[in-house]
Amino acid sequence: MPENLLELQPVAGRIGAEVRNVRLSAALEPATFAAIRAALLRHKVLFFRGQQHLDDSGQEGFAKLWGELVAHPTVPVRDGTGYLLELDSEHGGRANSWHTDVTFDLAYPQASILRAVEIPAAGGDTVWANTAQAYLDLPAPLRQLADQLWALHTNDYDYAARFNTDAAGLKRYREIFTSTIYETEHPVVRVHPETGERTLVLGHFVKKLLGLPTSDSDHLLQLLASYVTRLENTVRWRWSVGDVVIWDNRATQHYAINDYGDQRRVVRRVTVAGDIPVSVDGRTSLSRSERRQAAEAVRAPEQALAS
């Protein structure tokens, strides 16, 4: 089933398409799934309405068609599931900042699959941005600079300042989200392993650009981020219960809009294992723990000879 046989309706000019008349399940015909996968690589985000038949196990079963599933590195999965993360607005599930999922991990997820369980009467939309198009929008000198830059990503950042949270939210963040600290060095520009596109790897897990003073790093990150979040490169989705959205986590950022006050919003996410990013010049991302181990391995023979 070629992609052009799917009933696809683009939602925005540069990113996002709604797929109609497809019932998602673990039993999808291989040709149908192949067409959906091709559509995702092209449109970056796919929207499916009316998937109320999916429960937690059905969502996980469908997700397994995409590859090996991975749980969040620090946040516990929903009870009774193997990989499903529940984002509940009453328990801190308001990620209202631009990010790519879990980039503090070395091989962060290739794709995320999100299902709407409870949605506010108004508000709670999600916006996605096309980081491949953002890269193409950079002026040539800025693209050449970005190709050479590396950044440190971590789950340990100033959560209170970024999300304006209360003491309870900050306590939960420290006890759960940063129960293990991850620090990973990624290229600012990675080569997409399936499309060959160059995409910007940024978002709120970036602590700083390596090799630059903090002030220069901050200014340059703001400049690069401004190209990602240009309205021309985004798509906004108004959720309904039963909607399922799939995005290519290697070529997008997203932002869950926190504009619904005390209304409740519950969505559930499954992520598919990714690959280690590769830079334009062929180098791979590296975790800080691996860098320390490599340095220790080099020092050990030197120390032995010195003794």
Side-chain angles (χ1 to χ4, degrees):
M1 184 178 183
E3 179 199 339
N4 59 11
L5 295 183
L6 285 175
E7 189 176 346
L8 284 170
Q9 178 61 52
V11 180
R14 293 182 169 183
I15 178 175
E18 182 180 349
V19 183
R20 297 174 177 171
N21 299 321
V22 171
R23 180 182 171 90
L24 299 179
S25 77
L28 272 181
E29 291 290 333
T32 302
F33 176 73
I36 292 172
R37 189 174 188 94
L40 181 66
L41 292 175
R42 176 184 173 191
H43 295 283
K44 311 301 190 253
V45 187
L46 297 179
F47 306 98
F48 299 80
R49 295 277 194 194
Q51 306 296 317
Q52 287 88 342
H53 61 281
L54 281 181
D55 57 10
D56 292 348
S57 62
Q59 182 180 359
E60 287 190 339
F62 168 69
K64 288 177 181 176
L65 296 177
W66 295 84
E68 178 186 355
L69 304 188
V70 288
H72 193 281
T74 60
V75 181
V77 299
R78 175 173 162 78
D79 289 347
T81 69
Y83 301 96
L84 195 146
L85 176 66
E86 180 168 271
L87 302 169
D88 185 339
S89 60
E90 293 185 353
H91 302 287
R94 299 184 185 232
N96 52 315
S97 181
W98 284 105
H99 66 287
T100 296
D101 284 337
V102 200
T103 58
F104 53 84
D105 204 356
L106 181 62
Y108 61 86
Q110 65 164 281
S112 293
I113 300 167
L114 195 64
R115 174 170 60 99
V117 176
E118 186 171 341
I119 296 298
D125 298 358
T126 304
V127 185
W128 285 264
N130 183 337
T131 62
Q133 184 61 54
Y135 174 81
L136 293 176
D137 287 347
L138 295 174
L142 194 50
R143 280 203 306 271
Q144 293 169 10
L145 174 60
D147 287 343
Q148 303 172 54
L149 295 173
W150 285 68
L152 176 64
H153 295 239
T154 180
N155 59 328
D156 186 18
Y157 54 85
D158 192 351
Y159 182 85
R162 183 163 289 165
F163 292 105
N164 193 28
T165 189
D166 56 17
L170 181 58
K171 183 174 183 289
R172 170 183 160 80
Y173 163 76
R174 288 174 173 165
E175 290 179 348
I176 297 178
F177 198 76
T178 57
S179 57
T180 300
I181 302 300
Y182 289 81
E183 291 186 321
T184 301
E185 297 174 9
H186 289 305
V188 166
V189 180
R190 72 173 292 181
V191 179
H192 194 290
E194 295 185 72
T195 66
E197 294 173 303
R198 296 182 181 186
T199 68
L200 295 175
V201 186
L202 298 169
H204 73 217
F205 295 119
V206 174
K207 187 170 186 177
K208 72 180 303 288
L209 295 173
L210 301 177
L212 295 178
T214 299
S215 59
D216 292 344
S217 170
D218 290 346
H219 287 309
L220 192 47
L221 284 171
Q222 290 175 9
L223 176 60
L224 294 171
S226 72
Y227 282 85
V228 175
T229 59
R230 278 180 164 179
L231 291 181
E232 294 89 341
N233 291 336
T234 65
V235 61
R236 179 167 176 161
W237 187 250
R238 171 66 191 138
W239 292 94
S240 297
V241 172
D243 287 357
V244 171
V245 181
I246 307 168
W247 63 92
D248 187 338
N249 198 52
R250 302 161 296 188
T252 58
Q253 287 187 36
H254 57 282
Y255 186 117
I257 302 172
N258 183 15
D259 61 349
Y260 48 93
D262 294 333
Q263 299 177 85
R264 193 178 186 190
R265 181 182 186 271
V266 180
V267 293
R268 294 177 185 156
R269 188 185 82 198
V270 179
T271 54
V272 184
D275 49 278
I276 299 175
V278 178
S279 68
V280 172
D281 61 4
R283 290 181 290 159
T284 56
S285 298
L286 189 68
S287 72
R288 280 285 173 95
S289 61
E290 288 180 341
R291 180 179 288 279
R292 285 191 291 269
Q293 291 169 3
E296 289 170 0
V298 170
R299 285 198 299 268
E302 294 175 350
Q303 292 170 348
L305 288 172
S307 63

